Amino acid sequence: VIDWAVNVYRAWKNRRDIYHLGAMSDHELADIGLARGDLHVAWSQRFDIDPTVTLGRLAEARAAKAIRDAVERAARQVC
């Protein structure tokens, strides 16, 4: 029960912090690997889910795609 309460508190605190990310410009969000839509996705999660985990996964997936795309472009230039 204590672990659940701690997780809910952490999720609530991080959800509050994500609200402040909404004040950033799209360019600033892109600098940290996020898009405005990512904030909406994270915010729409259940209240007990930590939204920063969702944002981290979205940013990692976007970075991985960018790397794959860069490797693909480089491979096409070699061929």
Side-chain angles (χ1 to χ4, degrees):
V1 173
I2 291 173
D3 285 340
W4 177 82
V6 168
N7 289 336
V8 168
Y9 173 75
R10 183 179 304 120
W12 172 77
K13 183 179 172 296
N14 290 340
R15 186 173 292 272
R16 221 180 44 192
D17 293 341
I18 286 176
Y19 178 77
H20 296 294
L21 289 176
M24 296 174 76
S25 71
D26 290 342
H27 184 71
E28 291 170 322
L29 289 171
D31 283 347
I32 58 174
L34 297 173
R36 182 137 332 263
D38 297 342
L39 301 178
H40 296 287
V41 170
W43 190 260
S44 68
Q45 298 292 315
R46 287 189 344 234
F47 186 77
D48 60 332
I49 294 176
D50 186 346
T52 59
V53 173
T54 302
L55 288 177
R57 288 181 182 148
L58 291 169
E60 287 173 3
R62 186 171 289 110
K65 183 182 181 319
I67 291 170
R68 283 192 309 272
D69 291 348
V71 168
E72 202 173 287
R73 280 191 304 275
R76 276 192 234 124
Q77 289 177 350
V78 171
C79 295

